[in-house]
Amino acid sequence: MTVIESIPEIETPSPCLPFKPDWQHAEDLQIYVKRDDLIHPVVSGNKWRKLKYTLRQLPASTTRIVSFGGGYSNHLHALGFICHQLAMPFTAIVRGDYSASLTPMLHDLMAWNSELVYVDKVEYRQRDTLAYINQLQARYPGAVIIPEGGKQPSALRGVGEIMHELAVIPDYVLVPVGSGATLAGLVGQLYGHQRAIGIAVLKGENYLESEVNQLLDRTQTNWHIQHDFHHGGYAKCSRELAEFCRTFTREHGFAVEPVYSGKLFYAAKMLIERQYFEKGAKVLLLHTGGLQGARESR
Ligand SMILES: Cc1ncc(COP(=O)(O)O)c(C=O)c1O
């Protein structure tokens, strides 16, 4: 059975809706929101896009899936859910020891029978090294090991499909950047004058650009990353951002959270107010989901 058959609630194409905020100068633009947060109640947003082809192409000999993430990881959450649906054993290698106080995400993974392996920062840092992967492969024979955030090469193909679902041809596509795989997948499908703008959600100037270049396997000039909107770093939230997310969610009828989508929409507002885009431009904002990560620990 394929993943698609076993997760019937997956809804693609996701809606792409006109967006008319009352932000200064927004009326000069045609703004759209691609609601990838609506793809699935659990496997929302870029998680599904990034995992789809890897999971479709799992070797028949696969005994288990192993992956990595933090205690609130949307990636581990989505993958844990899918593995549970597939009755596929899943091991989550988690950065930090949460055994004394599980996060809501880890509670869910336990309920879905995932194996949780807590590792310290030093071990976690080795996650992409060949020696560590070999060690895991020896510990879990037959396992498929998926990198943190689902940034394996096949993720780009899944993400690229977003561009083919669009009825409008945007001049700009804005997307939050964590590992860079979602941005790279979009960049790979841009045509002509189209430009992708990544909004860094962490302090990663130069590092994030080199990650995207590495994923693209070539240098392209039709994208860049804005580094002014991380609000202090990964999962850091300024008072202004928290207030922005609350107001946004109340006024627009859909939710954003402070780790990814909140930073994206906040950056979009700032850029629009500064008249960054030329009049009449079509600007697409990609809502990548991730609302589960904003749940408070109990
Ligand atoms: C909800 C959400 N949006 C955006 C991103 C950033 O995507 P990427 O890591 O591909 O840059 C992530 C992390 O994977 C995420 O969980």
Side-chain angles (χ1 to χ4, degrees), residues 46-47 50 74-75 149 176-183 257 260-261 288-290:
N46 61 347
K47 304 290 110 29
K50 291 201 278 188
N74 294 316
H75 164 69
V177 178
S179 69
T182 307
L183 176 61
E257 46 65 52
Y260 294 103
S261 51
T288 49

Side-chain angles (χ1 to χ4, degrees), residues 7 12 97 109 115 138 159 213 218 222 243 276 285 291:
I7 308 179
T12 53
D97 185 353
L109 286 189
E115 180 192 24
V159 170
N213 278 325
R218 62 185 179 272
N222 54 355
E243 182 50 33
Y276 179 88
L285 309 176
L291 296 165

Side-chain angles (χ1 to χ4, degrees), residues 61-168:
S61 56
T62 308
T63 55
R64 166 180 299 274
I65 290 178
V66 178
S67 197
F68 313 87
Y72 293 83
S73 165
N74 294 316
H75 164 69
L76 288 181
H77 193 249
L79 197 47
F81 176 82
I82 293 171
C83 288
H84 183 55
Q85 297 280 304
L86 294 174
M88 169 70 73
F90 176 56
T91 298
I93 311 238
V94 180
R95 181 180 184 276
D97 185 353
Y98 291 85
S99 49
S101 70
L102 288 181
T103 65
M105 192 286 280
L106 294 169
H107 266 291
D108 286 347
L109 286 189
M110 286 194 68
W112 298 330
N113 302 320
S114 309
E115 180 192 24
L116 303 182
V117 178
Y118 299 118
V119 300
D120 61 21
K121 275 190 214 165
V122 178
E123 180 169 342
Y124 194 78
R125 224 175 276 140
Q126 299 173 46
R127 65 195 176 279
D128 291 330
T129 65
L130 192 58
Y132 191 63
I133 301 287
N134 285 341
Q135 212 177 302
L136 286 175
Q137 209 71 74
R139 198 191 308 166
Y140 300 108
V144 166
I145 300 173
I146 297 180
E148 181 187 55
K151 60 174 178 184
Q152 66 288 353
S154 69
L156 274 59
R157 180 174 170 204
V159 170
E161 290 179 352
I162 293 171
M163 297 304 290
H164 300 284
E165 291 178 3
L166 300 174
V168 289

Side-chain angles (χ1 to χ4, degrees), residues 3-265:
V3 166
I4 293 187
E5 285 155 355
S6 55
I7 308 179
E9 297 152 285
I10 292 283
E11 297 258 6
T12 53
S14 64
C16 180
L17 305 170
F19 180 58
K20 296 184 190 301
D22 63 358
W23 306 336
Q24 202 184 6
H25 303 300
E27 70 282 3
D28 297 340
L29 303 168
Q30 295 180 53
I31 311 172
Y32 299 88
V33 180
K34 177 80 168 147
R35 295 287 309 278
D36 262 18
D37 56 311
L38 296 178
I39 286 180
H40 186 273
V42 180
V43 193
S44 82
N46 61 347
K47 304 290 110 29
W48 173 248
R49 305 283 188 184
K50 291 201 278 188
L51 290 168
K52 177 178 165 184
Y53 286 102
T54 300
L55 296 172
R56 262 195 180 175
Q57 291 153 5
L58 283 180
S61 56
T62 308
T63 55
R64 166 180 299 274
I65 290 178
V66 178
S67 197
F68 313 87
Y72 293 83
S73 165
N74 294 316
H75 164 69
L76 288 181
H77 193 249
L79 197 47
F81 176 82
I82 293 171
C83 288
H84 183 55
Q85 297 280 304
L86 294 174
M88 169 70 73
F90 176 56
T91 298
I93 311 238
V94 180
R95 181 180 184 276
D97 185 353
Y98 291 85
S99 49
S101 70
L102 288 181
T103 65
M105 192 286 280
L106 294 169
H107 266 291
D108 286 347
L109 286 189
M110 286 194 68
W112 298 330
N113 302 320
S114 309
E115 180 192 24
L116 303 182
V117 178
Y118 299 118
V119 300
D120 61 21
K121 275 190 214 165
V122 178
E123 180 169 342
Y124 194 78
R125 224 175 276 140
Q126 299 173 46
R127 65 195 176 279
D128 291 330
T129 65
L130 192 58
Y132 191 63
I133 301 287
N134 285 341
Q135 212 177 302
L136 286 175
Q137 209 71 74
R139 198 191 308 166
Y140 300 108
V144 166
I145 300 173
I146 297 180
E148 181 187 55
K151 60 174 178 184
Q152 66 288 353
S154 69
L156 274 59
R157 180 174 170 204
V159 170
E161 290 179 352
I162 293 171
M163 297 304 290
H164 300 284
E165 291 178 3
L166 300 174
V168 289
I169 300 176
D171 301 302
Y172 299 93
V173 183
L174 270 65
V175 59
V177 178
S179 69
T182 307
L183 176 61
L186 294 172
V187 169
Q189 300 303 317
L190 297 180
Y191 290 95
H193 70 282
Q194 288 184 307
R195 185 165 194 84
I197 303 177
I199 307 300
V201 303
L202 47 94
K203 290 184 186 169
E205 202 155 355
N206 300 327
Y207 161 75
L208 288 176
E209 280 80 0
S210 70
E211 289 288 295
V212 174
N213 278 325
Q214 211 171 312
L215 285 162
L216 284 170
D217 207 17
R218 62 185 179 272
T219 307
Q220 285 187 220
T221 54
N222 54 355
W223 63 275
H224 71 275
I225 300 178
Q226 293 274 350
H227 291 278
D228 302 335
F229 304 107
H230 55 60
H231 296 261
Y234 184 69
K236 295 280 189 316
C237 180
S238 62
R239 202 175 291 169
E240 204 180 347
L241 178 63
E243 182 50 33
F244 173 82
C245 292
R246 273 193 295 275
T247 310
F248 185 102
T249 301
R250 200 173 54 236
E251 289 180 353
H252 295 288
F254 61 93
V256 296
E257 46 65 52
V259 183
Y260 294 103
S261 51
K263 288 182 182 176
L264 170 79
F265 281 90

